[in-house]
Amino acid sequence: MDSLTKSTKELQDKRNKYIPRGVSNGNLHIARDAQGSTITDIEGNEFIDFAGAIGTLNVGHTHPKVTEAVKEQIDKFLHPGFNVMMYEGYIELAEKLCKITPGNFEKQALLLNSGAEAVENAVKVARKYTGRQAVVSFVRGFHGRTNMTMSMTSKVKPYKFGFGPFAPEVYQAPFPYPYQRPESLSEEEYTDHVIQDFKDFFVETVAPETVACVVMEPVQGEGGFIIPPKEFVQAVREFCSEHGIVFVADEIQTGFGRTGAYFGIDHFDVVPDLITVSKSLAAGLPLSGVVGRKEILDASNPGELGGTYAGSPVACAAALAVIDIMEEENLPAKAEIVGEKIENKLTELQEKYTFVGEIRRLGAMVAVEIVDNRQNKNPDKETTAKIAKYANDNGLLLLSAGIKGNVIRFLAPLVITDEELNKGLAILEDAFANQ
């Protein structure tokens, strides 16, 4: 029986029988095809995509230039293995990444498979370069599901519970949460307070002389799209420079135009030593990278970095097409337009519903907190889940986030059309109204 002739129920039953329940599914329909920002299931139902495979599809589903590049590469070869025999795509992509990432110093790029693998390799090269062992991430941060990156991740359930023991010498520093700042503090006072907490952390918890790297998401993703004050990010960068610590910007979700700039860190007037990239890098194909200072990446000896499928030539072809599309279609500027339209709709909803808390946005990385009411700001996970379920049941792919599960996040492809966006926002409006 052809898969297209199987019913949704048959495939759902097979999924439950053969795939672990630990693999979650936000939407239980079965995709048949997808174009731009619209997915069609096997029964012909259309879904507007505000999830973008968790921020993976900034250039949209099956962009024709990506598809063409992938098909052309497949006709040549699939995978000789870069560690066995080199190929042009890996080298060309490394050069492109070195050119588009911030920093006017000599750079190199290491290609890998997944975001977690990129973070893990950033830690590896930082340790090799500095001769130190400790790693610092941040409260509410998310960096992956491997043992090392789980150790760096803040949210216990569902990411860490029952999966220990975790990697040693990993510490989580304080990170600002402006929406939840004490009312007694002004924004400036609160920022100063968190900066001091960050510095005190290296007195109370771990000595800076033992720290190989500090890994920071410019905007916390799974943590709820928390945007830190510029002064905080700059203070972290300065502290790292002062103490010989490698500063790593985890751009896996914030990269490739999502925030209205090529990279999220560009908004903070800060240049990291290393950047991790993945997700929208290859338009849905598994690919990641670590890009940054040559002296750090070149500290490892031959054979110490790499992997069987690292830097797949098919994924590299897709990534090279993605970078061209970003430039040709000016997607960072488009991100600002898309994000503003989503923010405007959320502002309308905020005026109608008391459970709509803070709206946060950097480019097209948009989030809204769902709370009991705007006075107490208590997280309302239940209403958040109902909104997401209504959306997914009625033609809109929508995700939640946040340590307490009360943030709705928007990661629509940057190529979304006005028609798709308006259709999605109409469903979103219904989802809020039906709570």
Side-chain angles (χ1 to χ4, degrees), residues 43-104:
E43 295 176 0
N45 301 305
E46 289 189 348
F47 294 82
I48 303 300
D49 191 354
F50 277 12
I54 319 180
T56 304
L57 300 166
N58 288 357
V59 301
H61 293 273
T62 55
H63 193 291
K65 291 184 179 177
V66 173
T67 301
E68 182 183 357
V70 167
K71 287 179 177 177
E72 186 178 331
Q73 178 57 52
I74 287 171
D75 286 339
K76 294 176 181 177
F77 54 79
L78 286 174
H79 192 63
F82 194 75
N83 297 115
V84 178
M85 186 173 186
M86 298 188 297
Y87 39 89
E88 186 177 357
Y90 189 121
I91 297 167
E92 292 294 326
L93 180 57
E95 180 185 24
K96 285 262 190 181
L97 289 172
C98 289
K99 287 182 175 179
I100 67 173
T101 48
N104 293 320

Side-chain angles (χ1 to χ4, degrees), residues 330-344:
N330 198 9
L331 292 189
K334 181 75 184 297
E336 182 62 28
I337 296 168
V338 170
E340 186 178 22
K341 289 179 179 178
I342 296 172
E343 181 184 13
N344 289 341

Side-chain angles (χ1 to χ4, degrees), residues 26 50-55 384 388 392 397-401 407-411:
F50 277 12
I54 319 180
T384 306
N392 278 282
L397 302 185
L398 195 64
L399 298 171
S400 61
V407 177
I408 295 172
R409 54 178 161 168
F410 299 84
L411 290 163

